[in-house]
Amino acid sequence: MSPNASNLDELEKMLGKLDDLPTLPTVVTQINSMAKDPSTNAADIGKVISNDASLSSKILKLVNSAYYGFPRKINNVTKAIVLLGFNKVKNIAISASVVDAFKHTGKIQGFDFFEFWEHSLATAISAEATAKELAPDVADDAFVGGLLHDLGKVVMVSSLNDIDAVFARARSEGLTFQDAAKVAFDFDQAKIGALVAEHWNFPEALVRCIRYWPYPNRTRQHTEAVNCIHVGNVISSALGKTSCGDNAMPMIHPEAWEALELNEENVLKITSETASGLDNASAFLELAV
Amino acid sequence: MPIKPIDEVEPGDVLINPIQDSMGRVLIQQGEAITEQLLNVLKRRGYVEIDVKSPEGSGVSASYSQSGEPAFSETISGDEDVKRMKEELESRFHNVEDTDREMIIVKNAAENVLTAKIASKKGLS
């Protein structure tokens, strides 16, 4: 379907709303810049993050949670960076800040932020499990990309007047939210999410993951992480953590299946890892409360 | 059934029935112990009462025999949970055809994992 005047109006309206988005803490921008500087060390970054007491305490709560399973308590951010790696701590900081920015969205027109976050978390865990099994180098990117893959949906729900009709169409025709949104507007949460991620100066890999996770065949960059998130979205839905507004199973693209060399054995292992990961991830769920 | 007002539920209480959202999706499985944070989540989501038993209570756990083998009523209940899970899975995968090989593999994996989870919960009750 080609975009018509009304769809372009809606897209323009969405673009206009970007300036109204909640702002992320300055520390997130700072650590994103520091990530690009090879001379930055754990202590420098730890110091910057520690200046934001609220974010630091969230990071420490998460790294000390059952999900990471460290035997001893990690009591400062620098130590967390040394043990988990800067990339993981950076991703936790981004995720915690985004949830904070949006959690007060609450229930808008039938959209429940908690349900949204549950699906996002399950997708993150499943994408990470897929990566650990089949593309270990991108495990961190797969996790954060999974956590933020549906970011555009929150913005659409809070900005578009006709969003009720999208939920209604998905229900009455048994569609995913994404398919119903494309029929209504000719754009979806992936497109809007990528615009938001760019607006917030997120790392390029993360922007690409958010833009292309539903279309793994349309990008030739960061394909492994994109494929893992694509698969994670399906497996989380299969386990009952469906995406808010979805009334059908999202389908696995054959290209992603082949690229990752998925088969009965590794899909079962990834699904099982996802279910156990979810059992230990209550600290992440609590972020949305 | 001991339905408790949410304000009287305490961390450690065990769910007798699963908690579902408005669309009937299971959010928390039966047999799961309520943690403080889950309790906060439920309050925030507007639940006013839930069906729980205290950990030392005589609810489901009392129907287990001394040998640790589940009593007859529990076996039936376990089968019903599996049956319900399979029905939910069928409904969730309504748009998947028998020829969608990849999706059938995903569905089978989910069924295996969820069945094992139900069995494990029953064993721990």
Side-chain angles (χ1 to χ4, degrees):
Chain A
M1 181 179 176
S2 58
N4 59 34
S6 149
N7 293 333
L8 288 173
D9 283 351
E10 292 294 350
L11 187 56
E12 262 190 58
K13 200 191 294 177
M14 298 290 314
L15 292 171
K17 291 268 180 186
L18 289 178
D19 288 335
D20 300 335
L21 283 174
T23 49
L24 293 188
T26 356
V27 65
V28 174
T29 320
Q30 281 177 286
I31 56 177
N32 274 333
S33 312
M34 291 173 94
K36 293 172 190 159
D37 179 357
S39 67
T40 312
N41 60 38
D44 296 335
I45 300 160
K47 200 174 162 190
V48 168
I49 296 177
S50 302
N51 285 335
D52 186 325
S54 163
L55 184 59
S56 303
S57 83
K58 285 190 186 89
I59 290 172
L60 289 176
K61 194 170 177 187
L62 291 173
V63 300
N64 283 302
S65 73
Y67 189 72
Y68 293 107
F70 284 105
R72 287 188 193 159
K73 190 170 179 183
I74 303 169
N75 50 18
N76 66 66
V77 177
T78 304
K79 199 168 172 188
I81 294 168
V82 172
L83 287 170
L84 276 94
F86 170 56
N87 205 23
K88 206 179 282 282
V89 173
K90 179 189 75 181
N91 287 338
I92 291 173
I94 292 176
S95 310
S97 304
V98 170
V99 177
D100 240 17
F102 281 119
K103 72 178 178 188
H104 300 299
T105 306
K107 281 194 175 181
I108 297 174
Q109 298 162 330
F111 174 85
D112 183 336
F113 186 78
F114 188 83
E115 265 179 52
F116 163 84
W117 181 240
E118 260 189 326
H119 167 72
S120 301
L121 178 62
T123 300
I125 292 169
S126 189
E128 186 182 41
T130 307
K132 280 182 174 167
E133 182 68 17
L134 304 164
D137 289 350
V138 298
D140 288 347
D141 286 346
F143 184 84
V144 71
L147 213 49
L148 302 179
H149 75 289
D150 261 350
L151 178 61
K153 193 186 278 187
V154 198
V155 181
M156 288 171 78
V157 165
S158 51
S159 310
L160 293 171
N161 295 330
D162 297 338
I163 202 71
D164 266 347
V166 174
F167 282 102
R169 185 191 287 267
R171 261 195 311 275
S172 64
E173 296 180 20
L175 301 173
T176 61
F177 170 89
Q178 184 180 20
D179 286 341
K182 279 192 293 187
V183 173
F185 306 122
D186 203 45
F187 58 80
D188 62 9
Q189 69 266 42
K191 184 166 189 167
I192 302 305
L195 290 171
V196 175
E198 274 174 353
H199 179 79
W200 277 337
N201 290 318
F202 281 176
E204 192 260 336
L206 183 51
V207 175
R208 200 159 276 271
C209 284
I210 293 172
R211 178 68 187 94
Y212 290 106
W213 69 265
Y215 317 105
N217 56 325
R218 294 191 195 167
T219 179
R220 290 289 169 260
Q221 287 167 286
H222 306 289
T223 48
E224 285 187 320
V226 168
N227 285 337
C228 290
I229 297 161
H230 175 77
V231 170
N233 180 61
V234 175
I235 290 179
S236 64
S237 303
L239 285 172
K241 303 296 178 190
T242 46
S243 182
C244 201
D246 274 5
N247 287 271
M249 271 299 292
M251 306 291 275
I252 288 194
H253 197 287
E255 210 165 289
W257 182 275
E258 279 166 28
L260 288 169
E261 298 182 2
L262 288 163
N263 56 42
E264 278 184 36
E265 194 186 338
N266 54 33
V267 167
L268 181 59
K269 190 172 177 194
I270 292 162
T271 309
S272 177
E273 291 292 324
T274 304
S276 354
L278 273 167
D279 287 342
N280 289 321
S282 50
F284 281 91
L285 275 182
E286 217 181 10
L287 284 178
V289 178
Chain B
M1 284 288 182
I3 294 176
K4 274 193 191 178
I6 196 81
D7 289 334
E8 291 176 20
V9 175
E10 290 177 12
D13 284 356
V14 177
L15 277 175
I16 292 176
N17 287 312
I19 291 183
Q20 301 177 333
D21 65 13
S22 53
M23 293 173 72
R25 297 179 303 191
V26 174
L27 299 177
I28 311 168
Q29 295 284 359
Q30 76 183 85
E32 210 155 297
I34 299 288
T35 61
E36 199 169 337
Q37 78 204 44
L38 270 180
L39 199 52
N40 288 335
V41 168
L42 292 172
K43 284 178 185 170
R44 186 180 156 81
R45 290 178 70 119
Y47 285 84
V48 287
E49 53 184 27
I50 52 174
D51 203 0
V52 291
K53 65 182 175 69
S54 53
E56 71 280 24
S58 61
V60 176
S61 57
S63 65
Y64 278 78
S65 63
Q66 289 284 333
S67 66
E69 290 296 316
F72 180 68
S73 61
E74 275 307 290
T75 313
I76 296 293
S77 170
D79 288 348
E80 280 175 359
D81 285 347
V82 172
K83 191 177 158 201
R84 191 164 53 231
M85 178 273 290
K86 285 185 180 174
E87 283 168 0
E88 284 170 8
L89 211 53
E90 286 301 325
S91 158
R92 208 176 294 144
F93 277 73
H94 71 84
N95 57 318
V96 172
E97 307 285 339
D98 289 345
T99 47
D100 294 327
R101 189 182 67 91
E102 294 89 351
M103 293 302 292
I104 296 297
I105 290 175
V106 170
K107 184 182 172 190
N108 288 340
E111 187 176 321
N112 278 331
V113 168
L114 294 171
T115 306
K117 211 170 158 76
I118 292 169
S120 148
K121 288 226 167 90
K122 289 292 162 189
L124 292 172
S125 297

